[in-house]
Amino acid sequence: MEISITRTTSPRPKPEDPRKLGFGTVFTDHMFLMDYDPDQGWHDARIVPLENLSIHPGAAVFHYGAEVFEGLKAYLRDDGSVQMFRPRDNMERMRTSAERIQLPDFDAGFMLSAMVKLVELDQDWVPKVPSASLYIRPFEFCTDVDLGLHSIAHAQMIIILSPVGSYLGGGLKPVNIMIEDTDVRAVRGGTGYVKCGGNYAAANRAAARAEKKGYDQVLWLDGVHRKYIEEVGGMNVMFRMGGKVVTPKLTGSVLPGITRRSCIQLLRDKGIEVEERLISVDELMEALAAGQVEEAWGCGTAAVISPIGSFAYQDKQFVVHNRVIGPWAQDLYDTLTGIQWGRLPDPYGWIVPVPKP
Ligand code: PLP
Ligand code: COI
C-alpha cells in the first residue's frame, strides 16, 4: 500500500530547551493514519499534518474501550543519523494486543515502514541532547458507530511522535514504590499481557492513591492470590539478590516488556544469572528486611532503567541501596542506552536505521 504524504505548511516551533522536556506533552508536525473496513481492509494510508481528530461520539472506542497501543523510541546518534530500537518487536506485540481485543490484524512490516517514513519526515524533532529521544506512539481503535456490543468491523490506526526527556522526572534518580494490596491490575485470561488502554484505566485508582501518599509508582501483585510480584505501572521490575538477578516470570498477566527481554539478554551475556520465576511479596519483604535486596530497578521504554530507592507495603517501609543507583543498574543502563544511541555496537540486530530525509 502506498502512503500519501501531505506536508505541513506551518511547522510548529521546536521545544526551546530540549533539556527540560518531560514526557508526552509535546508533539511533532505530522501523524500517520489509515482506516479499516471489512470491504477494503486497511486503506487510505496517509501522513498528514498533526491535527485534532473528528470522530463520531457514538464510536465504540469511547464506550467500550477497544484500543491498543505501543511505545518505542527513535534516537539521535553522535554522527547525526537517527535509529529505532526493536521496532519489529513492538509491532508484533501490537498484533498480539489487537488479537486479544479483536481489533483488525495488520501487516507488521507495513507498520514498520510507516513508522520509518514518519520519523524520517519529522527527523528534526529528535532531541539533540543526551538522554532525550523521540517517543513513537502507534495506536489502533474501534471506530464502529454502534452502542450495541458487537464484533469490531471498523478501525483506525494512528502513529504520533513526541520528543521526550525522562519519564519519571529525575533521570536516574531512584523512585519510591508502593506495593498495592487492594486493587488488582490484571488476571490470567484477562488483558494484562497486552498493551490496551483499559489496563491503564484500571490502574488509575491505586496510582492516584500512591501519588497522594508521595510515591512515584505502584507495584502490582497478582490478581488471584494477591501474593506474587507482577510489574510496576509502566515498567517491568528486577531485583539483584544473592549474586543474581531475579524477575517475575511472564504468567499471562504481566506485559512481556521489550526492555525486560533486552535486559535479560544483556545480563546473561555479561555472565550474570537471571531467574524468571514467581516472587512472593513475603519473600521480597523478608529479603528487604534482611538487607538481601542489593538493588532493584524497573525497566521499560519510557522509564529506560529506573532504579528503585524504596518499597512500601502495608505498614512496612524499606530503603534499597541507600536510595542511590547501584552498580548493576548503572552498568545495564550504560549498555542498553549505549546500543540505543549507537555508541556501542549492536550484536543483536536490535537497531533499525532511519534514512536521512
Ligand atoms: N509493563 C507495563 C505495564 C508497561 O506499560 C510497560 C511499558 O511499555 C512495560 C511493562 C515495559 O515494556 P517495554 O519495555 O516494552 O516498554
Ligand atoms: C512505554 O514505556 O512505552 C509505555 O507505554 C509506558 C507508558 C504507560 C508511559
Side-chain angles (χ1 to χ4, degrees):
M1 187 178 10
E2 280 288 302
I3 302 174
S4 75
I5 298 179
T6 311
R7 283 168 193 268
T8 182
T9 50
S10 46
R12 264 186 285 268
K14 309 275 184 308
E16 240 164 56
D17 185 354
R19 281 166 306 186
K20 293 199 179 128
L21 277 170
F23 185 84
T25 52
V26 175
F27 295 91
T28 67
D29 283 324
H30 298 92
M31 61 180 174
F32 167 89
L33 299 96
M34 66 179 178
D35 302 299
Y36 181 91
D37 69 42
D39 296 333
Q40 302 176 82
W42 286 110
H43 62 279
D44 201 7
R46 57 206 187 273
I47 290 175
V48 296
L50 185 94
E51 59 178 0
N52 290 348
L53 303 174
S54 171
I55 300 181
H56 194 288
V61 62
F62 296 129
H63 308 279
Y64 307 126
E67 187 261 2
V68 300
F69 70 98
E70 267 305 328
L72 63 154
K73 285 176 173 170
Y75 306 83
L76 187 71
R77 292 168 57 102
D78 292 338
D79 65 7
S81 65
V82 171
Q83 61 184 29
M84 286 157 52
F85 184 70
R86 307 196 76 167
R88 287 187 197 86
D89 297 55
N90 290 89
M91 287 306 95
E92 286 305 336
R93 187 171 65 189
M94 194 164 161
R95 291 184 62 212
T96 306
S97 302
E99 194 282 331
R100 178 63 184 82
I101 306 297
Q102 291 289 283
L103 280 158
D105 193 11
F106 54 86
D107 180 339
F110 176 75
M111 277 299 288
L112 175 57
S113 64
M115 285 194 294
V116 168
K117 247 288 93 11
L118 185 63
V119 174
E120 187 185 328
L121 195 66
D122 278 346
Q123 203 157 121
D124 280 355
W125 285 87
V126 185
K128 296 177 182 57
V129 293
S131 81
S133 54
L134 187 69
Y135 187 74
I136 306 170
R137 170 54 64 86
F139 58 109
E140 179 186 356
F141 55 96
C142 172
T143 52
D144 287 329
V145 177
D146 186 348
L147 299 184
L149 289 170
H150 300 296
S151 57
I152 293 169
H154 295 81
Q156 189 162 60
M157 179 79 81
I158 302 183
I159 309 170
I160 52 176
L161 306 176
S162 171
V164 296
S166 160
Y167 176 59
L168 291 168
L172 278 174
K173 196 170 121 259
V175 293
N176 301 313
I177 298 291
M178 185 187 91
I179 303 177
E180 173 62 23
D181 66 350
T182 308
D183 289 358
V184 296
R185 172 187 176 275
V187 289
R188 227 169 293 171
T191 55
Y193 70 104
V194 301
K195 239 170 137 57
C196 62
N199 287 345
Y200 299 80
N204 275 344
R205 186 168 66 176
R209 248 192 328 252
E211 206 175 306
K212 219 166 169 183
K213 291 184 184 164
Y215 299 105
D216 299 293
Q217 293 261 311
V218 166
L219 176 61
W220 295 101
L221 299 180
D222 78 281
V224 177
H225 308 94
R226 314 255 177 128
K227 178 174 171 189
Y228 297 105
I229 304 287
E230 297 227 303
E231 62 188 319
V232 181
M235 51 196 191
N236 296 109
V237 66
M238 297 186 166
F239 306 95
R240 175 184 159 203
M241 296 199 275
K244 50 190 159 185
V245 169
V246 185
T247 191
K249 75 173 185 181
L250 302 175
T251 50
S253 48
V254 176
L255 189 78
I258 292 159
T259 319
R260 174 188 183 278
R261 198 183 310 153
S262 309
C263 288
I264 291 173
Q265 172 110 47
L266 292 173
L267 288 163
R268 286 185 177 149
D269 288 357
K270 286 173 189 287
I272 293 171
E273 191 183 335
V274 183
E275 272 180 15
E276 298 177 66
R277 63 169 171 87
L278 293 178
I279 307 164
S280 73
V281 66
D282 295 338
E283 177 189 348
L284 180 65
M285 288 301 111
E286 277 165 30
L288 283 164
Q292 288 163 352
V293 179
E294 291 141 353
E295 292 181 51
W297 60 86
C299 55
T301 298
V304 197
I305 303 293
S306 210
I308 296 174
S310 73
F311 289 100
Y313 178 57
Q314 296 170 342
D315 58 350
K316 301 185 196 77
Q317 300 256 9
F318 293 102
V319 167
V320 183
H321 206 269
N322 272 330
R323 291 188 203 276
V324 291
I325 186 167
W328 288 21
Q330 181 72 58
D331 184 55
L332 196 53
Y333 176 87
D334 291 343
T335 311
L336 180 70
T337 57
I339 294 173
Q340 290 171 332
W341 265 271
R343 292 179 197 130
L344 290 177
D346 164 30
Y348 306 104
W350 289 343
I351 293 302
V352 171
V354 175
K356 290 235 180 244

